[in-house]
Amino acid sequence: MTQTSATSTSRWRERAMRPVSATRSYVQGVASHSPARLALLAFMSVIALFTLLLALPISSKTGEFTVLHDALFTAVSAVCVTGLTVVSTAEHWSFWGQVFISLGVFIGGLGILTIASLLSLAVSKKLGVRGKLLAQNSMSTTASGTLGEVGSLLRIVITTSIVIQLALMLVLTPRFIVLGESFPTALWHGTFYAISAFNNAGFTPHSDGLVPYEMDPFILIPLMVGVFIGSLGFPVILVLLHFGWSFSKWNVHTKITIIGSFALVVVGTVGWGLLEWNNVRTIGEMEAGDKIVHAIFASIMTRSGGFNLVDQALMESRTMLATDALMFVGGGSASTAGGIKITTLAVLFLAIFAEARGERDVKAFGRTIPEGTLRVAFSVVVLGATLVATACGLLMSISSATLDRVLFESISAFATVGLSTNLSAELPPAGKYILAALMFAGRIGTITLASALSLKQRDQLYRYPEERPIIG
Amino acid sequence: MTQTSATSTSRWRERAMRPVSATRSYVQGVASHSPARLALLAFMSVIALFTLLLALPISSKTGEFTVLHDALFTAVSAVCVTGLTVVSTAEHWSFWGQVFISLGVFIGGLGILTIASLLSLAVSKKLGVRGKLLAQNSMSTTASGTLGEVGSLLRIVITTSIVIQLALMLVLTPRFIVLGESFPTALWHGTFYAISAFNNAGFTPHSDGLVPYEMDPFILIPLMVGVFIGSLGFPVILVLLHFGWSFSKWNVHTKITIIGSFALVVVGTVGWGLLEWNNVRTIGEMEAGDKIVHAIFASIMTRSGGFNLVDQALMESRTMLATDALMFVGGGSASTAGGIKITTLAVLFLAIFAEARGERDVKAFGRTIPEGTLRVAFSVVVLGATLVATACGLLMSISSATLDRVLFESISAFATVGLSTNLSAELPPAGKYILAALMFAGRIGTITLASALSLKQRDQLYRYPEERPIIG
Ligand SMILES: [K+]
Ligand SMILES: [K+]
């Protein structure tokens, strides 16, 4: 009887544990078989956790439960480092709600950086360019074997992220004290903005956002620097840490990303400044110097930061279109910035230049860009455009908002920018779920798609004869 | 004295003739050196001529001069077979004005077909696929040497075009007589609609457009057939004339174009029908059968025909977005349809499928599509998107129209479709010039760009080593 009882207990335990061990072996299987799928699962779990936390009464100022669509939207927006909001961060959420948001941003940002870096490493190893992608040979000295290499990469990514965010916090906190906040409040705001900036999240804990600080360089400059560094991506940061500013030693990825980033900042500043120069609803009545500061800030923030000094709904329609384009491009690969990424755009433009000059090879900085890379880049752009167009169509079916606002909000969600004409808050719950799905797809989709495509190169045993259809 | 006088007369004549002979040798030089540039010059001259004709008092109902921007816009719209209007074709233009418009459409359509066919021939010869592109070997039996080949091609193109337009006229005219029009009027309307349909121009000589005939299959079916045949393009029509419907004998270009055309008609019909099904401002209150007829008609016309049965401004916003996409794609290469063309879209999709399956080669129907073709296709899409986006930005700067209308009218102009929410007529003169430039660029630009790129293939003596940036 005792034995039977023991057996039945053990059987019971076994049965109870079955889902747990099944889950564990499922996760292990996924991890070894498909790192991209693991990334999706991990992000979904984190989002589910933060949705739960944000829905709890402790997270809201009123002490009531928050409805599911608002909690889920905010959790996705935080974990996908977007910054779109359906309720005011300062007014709806309690201190704990804001803590959960910044924690979600911190974990989400770190997750994106590590997953994207790992996938980049996997791609570069698979394609036989091991070590070249990341800091050229800086990795191989610290690592022997796969696990060591991965571990060392993760350690560098996590350490560097935290150090940069701590530095931003140490710069911002004293400024908030000078501006009259108590030490705990200033520390909290400094921490919140540091996390929000480096992770390109664009959440603000103040009800007026950054408008009170629109002329304060001690706030604006750290935010711009934090957003810009965060938007470069780890493959670039590692190269910069290793080689500093000796351009000739950089790999092609770093050269394209750095030059592209600066070029886009300049183009965005000039474009935004000219388009808004006489708009009295935004910067039209400011002095020239202030206009230029606003233009630089807008240019840096548009590609993913998501902080704003002027009401986006009051910009000229043409500025909204230009903003759409900048948002869609986004920042560097394996960064906290979203969009199709700077290298994607650059590769496509280099291909068009090569085509216009009648050259077979796509070249950059004395290197040939492989043909396969061009096709991956094109696939990423088509995926992005398709996602945005589908979301626009769906949103226009369920709301009466105009196309310019719908397009703006959709691209902002896809590219995890967070700039808004407040459409997110006005949409019915179905619209919030659509935008949440778009943020998730834009954040995780392009990374995993690009790496999955790059990893999936098959050998072929025979080729068909060539035939050329007429184009154009 | 006499001799001196004769000499001076001869000198005078020589001097007077100098611009003429200079022009002639310039044209000859351009023709042999750059056929694409000749095409541009020829189109500009024809447009200038028709602008002049339409501006004359004889062309307007009131017998007054028509202002330059309206005359130019209408001339460009006719010669570029677009069908956008700034004044009512039936109400503003006299009989002679309407004759000039249909003549402009006829000449423009023929010009596009011949130039595009010649450029396609040049590309196929240059790239060593001579004969394969057009009717496989059907050309080589009728032609010996370049001039014979070109002459025979032109003869086939012109004869076939005229025969099809005559056939359409012979079908339409009796119907107009049955509907109560006098013989001359019916003949005139039959001719006008025949030219307008085959050339995908979309002009209507009736003030209510096609609305009075919206349930008349004897009008609608010939128009749909005419527009569909015109949108296939000559490289396809030649293959069909030679091989009939034996699919396996067709070249890849024909297979892609025919399958793509039918697929887009089906997708367009289902999409348009579903999106508008319950829209009481358009087809919402009709019987199911009538709704389906409207959907089929809209689907066929959207890709370039430009005839419409329902007011485009009363469609749902989501239908306008879907229409934008169909218009942007357009019809077959070297056809009277505009847009980026079906093969361009197909090649890009095949490339993405290949990428998703991890295959190096882009394949279609047992043939490999050369890598260079993919890059030409991508360049055409980027050119198109850039033109449309630039025009939208400019139009939004000078008018207060909403983005959905501006985008709709811009894509309609770029893809020479002619569907309209009446924005063209509302714009200030500067806006009309922008749209006219867009029609011209969309009509001539993509053809000449694609052929110029395809012809401009250089050999290279050395290659750089490969290096792969991170994408996405
Ligand atoms: K953001
Ligand atoms: K048309």
Side-chain angles (χ1 to χ4, degrees), chain B residues 77 80-84 196 199-203 301 303-307 336-338 412 415-419 443:
Chain B
S77 183
C80 294
V81 297
T82 306
L84 283 178
S196 198
N199 292 299
N200 277 227
F203 280 100
M301 295 309 163
R303 280 186 306 104
S304 181
F307 291 117
T336 49
S412 180
T416 65
V417 177
L419 294 174
R443 182 69 274 182

PDB file of all heavy atoms in Angstrom, chain B residues 77 80-84 196 199-203 301 303-307 336-338 412 415-419 443, ligand 2:
ATOM      1  N   SER B  77      -1.987  65.255 -70.992  1.00  0.00           N
ATOM      2  CA  SER B  77      -2.879  64.173 -70.588  1.00  0.00           C
ATOM      3  C   SER B  77      -3.273  63.328 -71.800  1.00  0.00           C
ATOM      4  O   SER B  77      -3.367  62.099 -71.706  1.00  0.00           O
ATOM      5  CB  SER B  77      -4.117  64.755 -69.912  1.00  0.00           C
ATOM      6  OG  SER B  77      -4.959  63.740 -69.450  1.00  0.00           O
ATOM      7  N   CYS B  80       0.127  61.644 -73.434  1.00  0.00           N
ATOM      8  CA  CYS B  80       0.630  60.618 -72.513  1.00  0.00           C
ATOM      9  C   CYS B  80      -0.473  59.613 -72.159  1.00  0.00           C
ATOM     10  O   CYS B  80      -0.347  58.873 -71.193  1.00  0.00           O
ATOM     11  CB  CYS B  80       1.201  61.248 -71.251  1.00  0.00           C
ATOM     12  SG  CYS B  80       2.673  62.229 -71.552  1.00  0.00           S
ATOM     13  N   VAL B  81      -1.547  59.588 -72.919  1.00  0.00           N
ATOM     14  CA  VAL B  81      -2.693  58.685 -72.750  1.00  0.00           C
ATOM     15  C   VAL B  81      -3.121  58.506 -71.292  1.00  0.00           C
ATOM     16  O   VAL B  81      -3.320  57.403 -70.804  1.00  0.00           O
ATOM     17  CB  VAL B  81      -2.459  57.303 -73.418  1.00  0.00           C
ATOM     18  CG1 VAL B  81      -2.309  57.472 -74.909  1.00  0.00           C
ATOM     19  CG2 VAL B  81      -1.268  56.568 -72.862  1.00  0.00           C
ATOM     20  N   THR B  82      -3.289  59.637 -70.596  1.00  0.00           N
ATOM     21  CA  THR B  82      -3.641  59.573 -69.177  1.00  0.00           C
ATOM     22  C   THR B  82      -5.144  59.708 -68.949  1.00  0.00           C
ATOM     23  O   THR B  82      -5.777  58.848 -68.352  1.00  0.00           O
ATOM     24  CB  THR B  82      -2.906  60.678 -68.395  1.00  0.00           C
ATOM     25  OG1 THR B  82      -1.522  60.559 -68.655  1.00  0.00           O
ATOM     26  CG2 THR B  82      -3.172  60.552 -66.915  1.00  0.00           C
ATOM     27  N   GLY B  83      -5.726  60.820 -69.411  1.00  0.00           N
ATOM     28  CA  GLY B  83      -7.161  61.009 -69.231  1.00  0.00           C
ATOM     29  C   GLY B  83      -7.530  61.875 -68.045  1.00  0.00           C
ATOM     30  O   GLY B  83      -8.715  62.091 -67.782  1.00  0.00           O
ATOM     31  N   LEU B  84      -6.549  62.383 -67.292  1.00  0.00           N
ATOM     32  CA  LEU B  84      -6.870  63.381 -66.264  1.00  0.00           C
ATOM     33  C   LEU B  84      -7.328  64.650 -66.967  1.00  0.00           C
ATOM     34  O   LEU B  84      -6.815  65.002 -68.032  1.00  0.00           O
ATOM     35  CB  LEU B  84      -5.639  63.688 -65.402  1.00  0.00           C
ATOM     36  CG  LEU B  84      -5.257  62.675 -64.332  1.00  0.00           C
ATOM     37  CD1 LEU B  84      -3.978  63.127 -63.619  1.00  0.00           C
ATOM     38  CD2 LEU B  84      -6.366  62.511 -63.309  1.00  0.00           C
ATOM     39  N   SER B 196      -9.808  55.922 -77.310  1.00  0.00           N
ATOM     40  CA  SER B 196      -9.614  56.140 -75.879  1.00  0.00           C
ATOM     41  C   SER B 196      -9.415  54.806 -75.145  1.00  0.00           C
ATOM     42  O   SER B 196      -8.597  54.708 -74.228  1.00  0.00           O
ATOM     43  CB  SER B 196     -10.831  56.876 -75.325  1.00  0.00           C
ATOM     44  OG  SER B 196     -10.553  57.466 -74.091  1.00  0.00           O
ATOM     45  N   ASN B 199      -5.970  52.779 -76.384  1.00  0.00           N
ATOM     46  CA  ASN B 199      -4.787  53.502 -75.917  1.00  0.00           C
ATOM     47  C   ASN B 199      -4.809  53.744 -74.412  1.00  0.00           C
ATOM     48  O   ASN B 199      -3.987  54.485 -73.886  1.00  0.00           O
ATOM     49  CB  ASN B 199      -4.655  54.819 -76.676  1.00  0.00           C
ATOM     50  CG  ASN B 199      -4.320  54.585 -78.134  1.00  0.00           C
ATOM     51  OD1 ASN B 199      -3.284  54.013 -78.443  1.00  0.00           O
ATOM     52  ND2 ASN B 199      -5.219  54.968 -79.024  1.00  0.00           N
ATOM     53  N   ASN B 200      -5.756  53.110 -73.719  1.00  0.00           N
ATOM     54  CA  ASN B 200      -5.841  53.232 -72.259  1.00  0.00           C
ATOM     55  C   ASN B 200      -5.892  54.684 -71.808  1.00  0.00           C
ATOM     56  O   ASN B 200      -5.264  55.061 -70.826  1.00  0.00           O
ATOM     57  CB  ASN B 200      -4.639  52.534 -71.589  1.00  0.00           C
ATOM     58  CG  ASN B 200      -4.847  51.032 -71.433  1.00  0.00           C
ATOM     59  OD1 ASN B 200      -4.612  50.476 -70.379  1.00  0.00           O
ATOM     60  ND2 ASN B 200      -5.324  50.370 -72.470  1.00  0.00           N
ATOM     61  N   ALA B 201      -6.634  55.510 -72.561  1.00  0.00           N
ATOM     62  CA  ALA B 201      -6.594  56.944 -72.263  1.00  0.00           C
ATOM     63  C   ALA B 201      -7.702  57.392 -71.311  1.00  0.00           C
ATOM     64  O   ALA B 201      -7.509  58.302 -70.514  1.00  0.00           O
ATOM     65  CB  ALA B 201      -6.672  57.759 -73.542  1.00  0.00           C
ATOM     66  N   GLY B 202      -8.888  56.794 -71.415  1.00  0.00           N
ATOM     67  CA  GLY B 202      -9.917  57.112 -70.439  1.00  0.00           C
ATOM     68  C   GLY B 202     -10.644  58.422 -70.630  1.00  0.00           C
ATOM     69  O   GLY B 202     -11.414  58.829 -69.765  1.00  0.00           O
ATOM     70  N   PHE B 203     -10.398  59.114 -71.764  1.00  0.00           N
ATOM     71  CA  PHE B 203     -11.199  60.313 -72.037  1.00  0.00           C
ATOM     72  C   PHE B 203     -12.602  59.895 -72.471  1.00  0.00           C
ATOM     73  O   PHE B 203     -12.764  58.895 -73.179  1.00  0.00           O
ATOM     74  CB  PHE B 203     -10.571  61.119 -73.183  1.00  0.00           C
ATOM     75  CG  PHE B 203      -9.411  61.972 -72.768  1.00  0.00           C
ATOM     76  CD1 PHE B 203      -8.113  61.544 -72.987  1.00  0.00           C
ATOM     77  CD2 PHE B 203      -9.624  63.204 -72.166  1.00  0.00           C
ATOM     78  CE1 PHE B 203      -7.035  62.334 -72.623  1.00  0.00           C
ATOM     79  CE2 PHE B 203      -8.551  63.996 -71.808  1.00  0.00           C
ATOM     80  CZ  PHE B 203      -7.247  63.564 -72.033  1.00  0.00           C
ATOM     81  N   MET B 301     -10.173  48.788 -65.231  1.00  0.00           N
ATOM     82  CA  MET B 301      -9.866  50.180 -65.553  1.00  0.00           C
ATOM     83  C   MET B 301      -8.815  50.796 -64.640  1.00  0.00           C
ATOM     84  O   MET B 301      -8.141  51.733 -64.998  1.00  0.00           O
ATOM     85  CB  MET B 301     -11.141  51.023 -65.490  1.00  0.00           C
ATOM     86  CG  MET B 301     -12.160  50.647 -66.541  1.00  0.00           C
ATOM     87  SD  MET B 301     -11.388  50.610 -68.184  1.00  0.00           S
ATOM     88  CE  MET B 301     -12.594  49.677 -69.113  1.00  0.00           C
ATOM     89  N   ARG B 303      -5.989  49.697 -63.460  1.00  0.00           N
ATOM     90  CA  ARG B 303      -4.564  49.538 -63.734  1.00  0.00           C
ATOM     91  C   ARG B 303      -4.074  50.421 -64.883  1.00  0.00           C
ATOM     92  O   ARG B 303      -2.893  50.463 -65.163  1.00  0.00           O
ATOM     93  CB  ARG B 303      -4.215  48.079 -63.956  1.00  0.00           C
ATOM     94  CG  ARG B 303      -4.098  47.376 -62.605  1.00  0.00           C
ATOM     95  CD  ARG B 303      -3.630  45.975 -62.707  1.00  0.00           C
ATOM     96  NE  ARG B 303      -4.452  45.221 -63.613  1.00  0.00           N
ATOM     97  CZ  ARG B 303      -4.098  44.877 -64.846  1.00  0.00           C
ATOM     98  NH1 ARG B 303      -2.911  45.194 -65.287  1.00  0.00           N
ATOM     99  NH2 ARG B 303      -4.911  44.196 -65.610  1.00  0.00           N
ATOM    100  N   SER B 304      -4.993  51.114 -65.580  1.00  0.00           N
ATOM    101  CA  SER B 304      -4.553  52.131 -66.519  1.00  0.00           C
ATOM    102  C   SER B 304      -5.638  52.707 -67.399  1.00  0.00           C
ATOM    103  O   SER B 304      -5.493  53.804 -67.898  1.00  0.00           O
ATOM    104  CB  SER B 304      -3.441  51.602 -67.419  1.00  0.00           C
ATOM    105  OG  SER B 304      -3.048  52.605 -68.283  1.00  0.00           O
ATOM    106  N   GLY B 305      -6.728  51.966 -67.601  1.00  0.00           N
ATOM    107  CA  GLY B 305      -7.780  52.440 -68.517  1.00  0.00           C
ATOM    108  C   GLY B 305      -8.295  53.810 -68.150  1.00  0.00           C
ATOM    109  O   GLY B 305      -8.352  54.721 -68.969  1.00  0.00           O
ATOM    110  N   GLY B 306      -8.667  53.966 -66.905  1.00  0.00           N
ATOM    111  CA  GLY B 306      -9.073  55.268 -66.424  1.00  0.00           C
ATOM    112  C   GLY B 306     -10.543  55.613 -66.629  1.00  0.00           C
ATOM    113  O   GLY B 306     -10.977  56.691 -66.232  1.00  0.00           O
ATOM    114  N   PHE B 307     -11.325  54.717 -67.288  1.00  0.00           N
ATOM    115  CA  PHE B 307     -12.770  54.948 -67.307  1.00  0.00           C
ATOM    116  C   PHE B 307     -13.317  54.628 -65.927  1.00  0.00           C
ATOM    117  O   PHE B 307     -12.791  53.762 -65.216  1.00  0.00           O
ATOM    118  CB  PHE B 307     -13.453  54.018 -68.322  1.00  0.00           C
ATOM    119  CG  PHE B 307     -13.146  54.338 -69.759  1.00  0.00           C
ATOM    120  CD1 PHE B 307     -12.483  53.422 -70.555  1.00  0.00           C
ATOM    121  CD2 PHE B 307     -13.521  55.550 -70.313  1.00  0.00           C
ATOM    122  CE1 PHE B 307     -12.196  53.701 -71.885  1.00  0.00           C
ATOM    123  CE2 PHE B 307     -13.249  55.839 -71.647  1.00  0.00           C
ATOM    124  CZ  PHE B 307     -12.581  54.913 -72.430  1.00  0.00           C
ATOM    125  N   THR B 336       0.242  50.608 -73.807  1.00  0.00           N
ATOM    126  CA  THR B 336      -0.275  51.949 -73.544  1.00  0.00           C
ATOM    127  C   THR B 336      -0.620  52.137 -72.062  1.00  0.00           C
ATOM    128  O   THR B 336      -0.994  53.225 -71.654  1.00  0.00           O
ATOM    129  CB  THR B 336      -1.531  52.221 -74.391  1.00  0.00           C
ATOM    130  OG1 THR B 336      -2.422  51.126 -74.239  1.00  0.00           O
ATOM    131  CG2 THR B 336      -1.161  52.377 -75.854  1.00  0.00           C
ATOM    132  N   ALA B 337      -0.488  51.080 -71.285  1.00  0.00           N
ATOM    133  CA  ALA B 337      -0.708  51.204 -69.845  1.00  0.00           C
ATOM    134  C   ALA B 337       0.543  51.767 -69.184  1.00  0.00           C
ATOM    135  O   ALA B 337       1.647  51.626 -69.702  1.00  0.00           O
ATOM    136  CB  ALA B 337      -1.046  49.848 -69.246  1.00  0.00           C
ATOM    137  N   GLY B 338       0.352  52.416 -68.042  1.00  0.00           N
ATOM    138  CA  GLY B 338       1.479  53.013 -67.353  1.00  0.00           C
ATOM    139  C   GLY B 338       1.890  52.201 -66.134  1.00  0.00           C
ATOM    140  O   GLY B 338       1.742  50.979 -66.115  1.00  0.00           O
ATOM    141  N   SER B 412      -2.299  58.437 -60.002  1.00  0.00           N
ATOM    142  CA  SER B 412      -3.068  58.379 -61.236  1.00  0.00           C
ATOM    143  C   SER B 412      -2.304  59.064 -62.370  1.00  0.00           C
ATOM    144  O   SER B 412      -2.304  58.581 -63.506  1.00  0.00           O
ATOM    145  CB  SER B 412      -4.429  59.043 -61.028  1.00  0.00           C
ATOM    146  OG  SER B 412      -5.193  59.002 -62.199  1.00  0.00           O
ATOM    147  N   ALA B 415       1.055  56.950 -63.169  1.00  0.00           N
ATOM    148  CA  ALA B 415       0.782  55.699 -63.869  1.00  0.00           C
ATOM    149  C   ALA B 415      -0.128  55.931 -65.070  1.00  0.00           C
ATOM    150  O   ALA B 415      -0.641  54.975 -65.647  1.00  0.00           O
ATOM    151  CB  ALA B 415       0.165  54.687 -62.908  1.00  0.00           C
ATOM    152  N   THR B 416      -0.325  57.189 -65.458  1.00  0.00           N
ATOM    153  CA  THR B 416      -1.175  57.600 -66.584  1.00  0.00           C
ATOM    154  C   THR B 416      -2.507  56.842 -66.600  1.00  0.00           C
ATOM    155  O   THR B 416      -2.921  56.295 -67.608  1.00  0.00           O
ATOM    156  CB  THR B 416      -0.453  57.426 -67.946  1.00  0.00           C
ATOM    157  OG1 THR B 416      -0.201  56.059 -68.192  1.00  0.00           O
ATOM    158  CG2 THR B 416       0.850  58.189 -67.963  1.00  0.00           C
ATOM    159  N   VAL B 417      -3.179  56.827 -65.435  1.00  0.00           N
ATOM    160  CA  VAL B 417      -4.454  56.134 -65.303  1.00  0.00           C
ATOM    161  C   VAL B 417      -5.618  57.068 -65.647  1.00  0.00           C
ATOM    162  O   VAL B 417      -6.468  56.743 -66.467  1.00  0.00           O
ATOM    163  CB  VAL B 417      -4.647  55.588 -63.874  1.00  0.00           C
ATOM    164  CG1 VAL B 417      -6.013  54.943 -63.734  1.00  0.00           C
ATOM    165  CG2 VAL B 417      -3.556  54.589 -63.544  1.00  0.00           C
ATOM    166  N   GLY B 418      -5.622  58.227 -64.988  1.00  0.00           N
ATOM    167  CA  GLY B 418      -6.672  59.193 -65.285  1.00  0.00           C
ATOM    168  C   GLY B 418      -7.864  59.150 -64.352  1.00  0.00           C
ATOM    169  O   GLY B 418      -8.773  59.964 -64.480  1.00  0.00           O
ATOM    170  N   LEU B 419      -7.913  58.202 -63.411  1.00  0.00           N
ATOM    171  CA  LEU B 419      -8.954  58.256 -62.382  1.00  0.00           C
ATOM    172  C   LEU B 419      -8.690  59.488 -61.522  1.00  0.00           C
ATOM    173  O   LEU B 419      -7.539  59.870 -61.323  1.00  0.00           O
ATOM    174  CB  LEU B 419      -8.941  56.986 -61.525  1.00  0.00           C
ATOM    175  CG  LEU B 419      -9.324  55.700 -62.244  1.00  0.00           C
ATOM    176  CD1 LEU B 419      -9.136  54.498 -61.333  1.00  0.00           C
ATOM    177  CD2 LEU B 419     -10.767  55.763 -62.738  1.00  0.00           C
ATOM    178  N   ARG B 443       5.181  58.504 -67.956  1.00  0.00           N
ATOM    179  CA  ARG B 443       4.952  57.873 -69.247  1.00  0.00           C
ATOM    180  C   ARG B 443       6.280  57.558 -69.961  1.00  0.00           C
ATOM    181  O   ARG B 443       6.494  56.443 -70.429  1.00  0.00           O
ATOM    182  CB  ARG B 443       4.108  58.822 -70.100  1.00  0.00           C
ATOM    183  CG  ARG B 443       3.707  58.345 -71.454  1.00  0.00           C
ATOM    184  CD  ARG B 443       2.726  57.224 -71.401  1.00  0.00           C
ATOM    185  NE  ARG B 443       3.348  55.936 -71.285  1.00  0.00           N
ATOM    186  CZ  ARG B 443       2.695  54.780 -71.256  1.00  0.00           C
ATOM    187  NH1 ARG B 443       1.395  54.743 -71.285  1.00  0.00           N
ATOM    188  NH2 ARG B 443       3.334  53.658 -71.159  1.00  0.00           N
TER     189      ARG B 443
HETATM  190  K     K C   2      -5.320  56.254 -68.792  1.00  0.00           K
END
